[in-house]
Amino acid sequence: MDMFISNVKCLTERLLQKQLANTDEVIEKLFCEDFPRITPLDPQLEESAIQLWNWAVTKRVGTAINEHQKAKVRHVACRLLYACEPENPAEGAVRKQILMASKTGRTWLDCKKPQLADNFLSLAVKSLETLYSRLTSRGHGGADINTSKGDVEKDLLRVLSYQAESALAQENHQEAVAYMQRCKDMLLRLPKETGYLSLMCYNFGVDSYNMKKYEESSFWLSQSYDIGKMNIKYSPGAEVQAKVLRLLATVYLKWDCQQFQEKALNAVNLANKESVHPSGLYLKIRILLSCGAQDDHIRAGVTELLELEVPLEVCLSTVKLLMAEDRETLAFDYLKRVCQHFESSPELGSALVLHIELLLQRGKELLGKQKIEDIITGHYTGKQLSPQTLTCLHLLLWDKASKNFETKNFSEALQWYNYSLSFYKAGQMEPNLAKLQRNRASCLLQLQQLDKAKEAIKEAERCDPNSIFTQFSVYKIAVLENNVEKAAEAVKAIGALAQGPVSSEDRLLVAENAASNLLSLAAQIALENEQQDTAMKALESLCEHSKDEAQVVTALRCLVRLVLTTIEKASGEIRHANLDVLLSYLKMALQKVSQLSPGPSMAVEQRTEDANWFRKIAWNSALQCESSPDRMRDFFVFSYQLSQFCPSDRAVLMGQKTCLLMAAAASLELCRKSPHSEQKEQLTQALEHIQICWEVWKTLKASGGRDNSKDPTNILLLLYEFEARAKLNDPKVETVLESVLELDNVEIKVLETMAALAMEPPAHFPLLCKKALRIALSLHRKQPQADLARCSQCVHSLIQLSLPSGVSDVEARVLEEVWGYYEEALSIITAAVSRQQSRATAATPKQPRIPEDFPEMEILWLLTRAWNTGILLYSLAQYPEAERWCGLGMSFLRHLGSLQESYQTQMSGLYSEVLDRLDKAKKNLIMEE
């Protein structure tokens, strides 16, 4: 108990603070306090209750607290007051309880919390009855007593009406009826509350009607009317009573018109008797129509409307109602009377337009056209329609024209548009006029009236030159006239206007991509008129401006097909230019395919299909670029990149591998043809393709499937990598050679190729070259039938790489290495002679000494290089070595063919001279020693 009192006081004090940030939190804590069951509580809490109540009253002004917060504060204050109630409270305390309980209950009702309101309303009734009992016990003589009792009864009636409202909110109809009956019983003593109670019942009826509880609604509305009749002096008035009866008639109409038609008619007739109103007369006609009344009864009803001088709008609504209920004769007859009745009214135009609309709806076009022509005549003779009515007529005419256009009745459509044009003055500037002229031009084009269509579009340009639809119409005319330049200008204008929002257009559903749709249509029109270049410009503009990736991809497919047909017919520079255009389309296609987001509007399969389509185009185009390695490389790269959006099955992986291999090969080929300054970039690109290809190749091998032992991919990748790294002067090139040597059954040709690449400028790796050649030579010699010509080439290259080129390069180690290669050469020549001897016949008188399988010029080269080396050594006074090398050169003489005799004579003399000089040199050397 003490804790509760302390908490309540503390929270009340906090709430009373002027600057409180967390008001909602404090109110919530107060509201959630658990009240003790022991009563009465400390009388001091009554002060807190009063403070809380007054605080809530002062905070009602403005937005300091909301309705729910106010209800919670009142809830706590009221409970505190009742909890502090002594056994026999004073009259003032009871009045205070009544005030607080009734207002708290009312506040909870306003917050749509009837369950919380019930308890306080019950407390209020109990306190009111207590107070009334005390006042009654004092006697009946005093005027003050009677006044106080009247006030208590008035308060009780209000609280009982609140209880009825709460019961209805909780869908307890019978309980609400009981409370309301108590209120009605009190009206004899409180006649001034008649209006209040009648309106309360009316509100109950409205709420029930909105919830389609027609039976309950009819009860409350009947109660409202009956209560209003109980005291004419204090009733809501005849207009309100009529309003109640009209709603009651509507309830019967909605509930079941056939069953309650009599009640509905009685209610609306009574309403019109109480206070005649256009809505009452209109409602009566509705009821009569719903009940299937005869035309005479309905005619009488509509006549009442005219006699009452109701607004034209009500009369026209009645006409529409009659038409909706298939009372066509009545409707047209009544409309005719309405037009006559309002003949001098400025609003007559709306009746005439409705007449035209109804005639057209019923297929009476001739009569409708006659009425339109009458209005056009009146328009220029001082009987203009109001702007709003004229707009309605334009919409009617355009709708009729549009429907005729859709059914390909173009001449009829043009006539309806011409009717609309008749209301515009010459030279008038208005966007709608531009739209009208565009629509007319569309009809004229369909009717093959090109000159008139051009005039219409010229007018449209005058009125609205910045309309994308105007430019589209200009484009159509240009295409039909085969004016390529004008069509290109229009496409450019459409593209520029596509950057902004697009307004709506007749017969065209305008979406966010309306401009793109127009460009797509423009391309279609150009193709239909065999203007491929113009179509391509339209599609290119679409690709540039459309935000719909799927639409752009479709346009790109069209562009690719178109440029491919051009490539097939072209040659030379024109063909190359078109291939470059195709590359630009594929580049954009790659970008757009990568941006496609598969979702409800686009299946994953569609993106895959698009990527696969472009991939194949890139592949086939690459194969046609043998003479252009740069284009071949780019096409293969695009094919690979597009394939990444396809499922990674074996076929796709094989394609990726081939694309990357070919791209690398093309880059290397391009490097060979490029100036030195551009080679590094080409080689770096080649290495990138090679590295990715290695990864793809590993994936392929890991996937199993067919035997990869015969696939040359490994060798090709190593060769390409070796060339790229060698020309980049990359030290990793030696690792590549080692990788080749680790392969099973390395082909000799591969080693010979690597040897050549090691020395192909800008590469310069003589040691790697010799290593590859030595291994190649070794493999050659191991062959059962060695290719001696290729062996000689290996030896030639080894000797050429190793022989000293000048005095500074002469080293014993180098000479010894080259001597070994010469011995290898002699061995090969001997083998060639032996092979030749084995093929010789027994009839040959002399065994051959000249090898046919070894080129004579190669023998001559070996001879010359050995002889020159000996002479070089002689010049360096290395006499023994000089004699040795000259002798080596002489040993090749016997293997020469036709050249042997000439060289033998010449070299023998020289060799003798060299030997003589060597002997003299040796003697001089001995004497010096």
Side-chain angles (χ1 to χ4, degrees), residues 799-812:
I799 292 171
Q800 190 169 22
L801 285 167
S802 305
L803 271 176
S805 56
V807 174
S808 60
D809 297 329
V810 176
E811 294 181 16

Side-chain angles (χ1 to χ4, degrees), residues 615-750:
R615 176 182 75 88
K616 290 177 180 177
I617 293 293
W619 175 284
N620 292 332
S621 301
L623 297 179
Q624 298 176 32
C625 295
E626 292 181 9
S627 61
S628 180
D630 55 340
R631 294 184 180 89
M632 176 183 278
R633 175 201 59 198
D634 293 344
F635 278 123
F636 274 125
V637 169
F638 281 134
S639 183
Y640 162 72
Q641 291 173 331
L642 285 159
S643 71
Q644 291 180 298
F645 298 98
C646 301
S648 297
D649 55 26
R650 188 170 185 84
V652 170
L653 288 172
M654 288 293 290
Q656 289 180 347
K657 180 204 72 173
T658 306
C659 285
L660 291 165
L661 269 175
M662 295 300 290
S667 295
L668 292 172
E669 177 65 21
L670 197 59
C671 168
R672 298 183 194 108
K673 297 180 178 181
S674 299
H676 182 73
S677 59
E678 298 176 9
Q679 287 182 348
K680 185 176 180 181
E681 181 182 352
Q682 308 294 350
L683 294 168
T684 304
Q685 284 184 2
L687 267 182
E688 289 175 2
H689 301 326
I690 290 163
Q691 295 305 317
I692 300 170
C693 193
W694 274 121
E695 297 301 318
V696 174
W697 178 234
K698 287 176 186 176
T699 305
L700 258 175
K701 289 194 292 186
S703 67
R706 70 180 195 180
D707 181 17
N708 295 313
S709 60
K710 296 181 181 180
D711 194 307
T713 302
N714 258 7
I715 293 297
L716 289 173
L717 283 172
L718 289 168
L719 278 174
Y720 294 161
E721 186 175 355
F722 183 86
E723 180 178 357
R725 293 193 185 281
K727 290 179 178 178
L728 284 168
N729 198 26
D730 187 341
K732 291 182 181 178
V733 67
E734 190 171 352
T735 308
V736 180
L737 178 58
E738 293 300 324
S739 299
V740 172
L741 297 176
E742 290 171 5
L743 295 174
D744 297 331
N745 303 317
V746 181
E747 291 186 17
I748 301 170
K749 183 65 178 175
V750 172

Side-chain angles (χ1 to χ4, degrees), residues 313-352:
E313 184 182 351
V314 177
C315 293
L316 297 183
S317 296
T318 306
V319 172
K320 292 175 184 177
L321 178 63
L322 291 170
M323 291 296 291
E325 295 293 334
D326 292 327
R327 302 295 180 106
E328 184 178 321
T329 304
L330 271 177
F332 279 112
D333 178 60
Y334 181 57
L335 183 56
K336 184 178 179 181
R337 291 168 62 195
V338 168
C339 290
Q340 291 171 350
H341 188 80
F342 289 93
E343 188 174 8
S344 59
S345 170
E347 298 177 356
L348 175 65
S350 57
L352 297 173

Side-chain angles (χ1 to χ4, degrees), residues 24 32 84 132 214 367 396 425 496 586 653 817 891 894 909:
D24 187 49
C32 294
C84 297
Y132 190 83
Y214 299 125
L367 283 174
L396 184 64
K425 296 177 183 178
L586 289 173
L653 288 172
E817 179 186 347
S891 66
R894 64 192 181 94

